[in-house]
Amino acid sequence: MDINKLTKLVASYNPPEDVELVKRAYNFAKSCHKDQKRLSGDPFILHPLSVAYILAELNLDPVTISASLLHDCIKDTSTDISKIKEVFSEELAFLVKGVSKVSKVARESKEKQKIENLRRMLLAMAEDVRVILIKLADRLHNMRTLHSLDQDSQLKISHETLEIYAPLAHRLGIGKIKCELEDLAFSYLQPEAYEDIKERVALRMEEREAEILEIKKHLDRRLRLAGIKAEILGRPKHLYSIYCKMQSHRVGFDEIYDLIGIRVIVDSVEDCYGTLGIIHSLWKPISGRFKDYISLPKQNMYQSLHTTVVGNKGRPVELQIRTHDMDKIAEFGVASHWHYKEGKKKELDFTERISWLRRTLEWQKDITTDEDFMESIKTDLFAERVFVFTPKGEIRDLPKNSTPIDFAYSIHTDIGDHCVGAKVNGRIVPLHHKLSSGDIVEIITSKTSHPSIDWLKLVTTSKAKTKIRQWIKRETEKQEEDKTKILEKKHPKKLIPKKKKIKTILGIQGISDMAFKFSKCCSPLPGDEIIGFVTLNRGISIHRKDCPNIRTNDPCKILPLSWDDDGKGIYETGISVLAYDRQELLQDLLASISSTKTIINEAHGKARKDGMAECRFSLMIEGKEKLHTVIKGLEKVRSVVKVCRIQPK
Ligand code: MN
């Protein structure tokens, strides 16, 4: 590797003045690192030079390439960033600073350091993705030269590569770097498995090559007849993907047939579908293996048609069909954005395509603990994704296993907080429904509905989890406050002046300032017919007239009472609901109660062995009329059999 090799490559896709910039950056870096050596004994400058070459192979712009030449200057030498800004440009200095920030070592525990680095790296990436491209190229070259490090470091670095950098390359669509990173890390982490697969692939390749050649010849002839210009390539799969397949399908090497994929590259999208038709007419497709990533691209920008057919020898052969542009994107991903300098259209397209990243990072600022952060990175950034659409056709990407609640929160916190149900492709689905790519999702909201603690089990995205937890926390605090207020309202003794003639206390006529209490057994409400029961030591206890607990023949003990019209208050009462058990029953009941603006003190749901569920609620309510409204509402909830008043707990 030397500077001439690099400039030659840069010159192949850039004007001469841009090549000049790269040369200047090289000379600057060379003087920075002049006496430094790498652990391998090589002059240090070879490292930035190789990193720059990797980026030039991705056809990146000269500014990125120059920045990559300078990427270790700040960390390892006495140069500072203002100097780079002065000699080069602000843009270039920003990139160098971004990469340097990422590598800066804090004096904290190793684990904390790793997380902090990752956090910084992602934030820097949100500002300019090229920072991460340099970082990926840096990591790739370090992986290529990992043999000069001790075994401990080899394992650690390989682990990190497999956990963070390869998935990152994948998410950015840079298949080229992703595969090489994975195979390199694999060779250090599982050296035996790596060697084994490598040998077996080489052996099998000979035997399969003839078969592939046969298919290629046949297909080529037919495509030419159809007037489709195509490039047909047989490409061996990378070793780590074979290993993963063996692991996930729990099969041995001999059961893996698709060691070689065939790639057909054509000129236009129409030709892609035309080619697919021809392939399916020549060989029998295996059902369930066809994927159309052209009309529904992966969100890392990848587009292709995938199909698997039964080849001439009766064995499955995997084919990918794509245009030249799509092929470039599959290899270079976001990096391909910098291949084109002109054209606003592409700019917009690109911004939309990495918007997942910005959205993910935006709310991650709220996450404070390291554990939560790592968790959210793993689920939101690296998990497999599903693409769904809003009714207006806007695309949303969510991690696999997301539900309508995740979708609702991805649109707006308010929509999540008031979500009661969802329609997927026009059909009502339960809130635990798992979304699939291509679904059109419409959220049904209700002003009075709100999150419940059960939702935490239904959601996948950390955004939804965080927002639900926030809501519950806020609401618990508010309820505590409300309870205090209600108690004050319920016992407003100090506020009520003595009314000498009208014998009412607390809105009840017939008793004066005698001690009294509402009986718990029937918890009377305004509107109920009531009587007072004179007890020996505890004053008067107020019951409903029909309360079965009043069993006395002594008329002296019974005091006729009635509610005062002005006697508005708020009283505790209980309700029991019997229903056929089903998903989200409790949620629906709660939503129904809160739609009447009734305060719920407590809610309990119990599933019975006979398939029924019994739910009990303790409510704060103004009177019988209101209670009637609540009961009517509950009776309308799906699967409810019976609603009755009970003693509040
Ligand atoms: Mn480096």
Side-chain angles (χ1 to χ4, degrees), residues 465-524:
K465 275 184 198 155
T466 309
K467 293 293 175 190
I468 294 167
R469 282 202 197 103
Q470 277 175 3
W471 192 91
I472 291 170
K473 190 166 166 258
R474 244 186 359 251
E475 203 52 21
T476 326
E477 284 165 6
K478 213 170 92 197
Q479 271 183 12
E480 286 304 316
E481 265 173 44
D482 283 355
K483 258 192 194 165
T484 322
K485 276 187 204 150
I486 289 158
L487 283 176
E488 281 165 7
K489 216 169 166 186
K490 205 174 169 184
H491 303 290
K493 281 180 183 146
K494 281 178 204 154
L495 299 172
I496 296 172
K498 289 203 172 177
K499 305 163 182 164
K500 275 173 190 170
K501 282 176 190 170
I502 313 156
K503 296 190 173 180
T504 47
I505 281 184
L506 238 181
I508 293 171
Q509 288 184 344
I511 45 175
S512 58
D513 46 1
M514 279 185 274
F516 75 95
K517 68 181 188 69
F518 288 104
S519 78
K520 274 267 180 184
C521 58
C522 57
S523 32

Side-chain angles (χ1 to χ4, degrees), residues 47 71-72 138 142:
H47 167 64
H71 84 270
D72 276 331
D138 180 33
N142 286 336

Side-chain angles (χ1 to χ4, degrees), residues 38 44 47-48 51 71-72 75-76 103 135 138-139 142:
R38 297 197 91 204
F44 192 90
H47 167 64
V51 172
H71 84 270
D72 276 331
K75 188 176 74 176
D76 299 334
S103 336
K135 196 64 204 167
D138 180 33
R139 175 54 61 120
N142 286 336

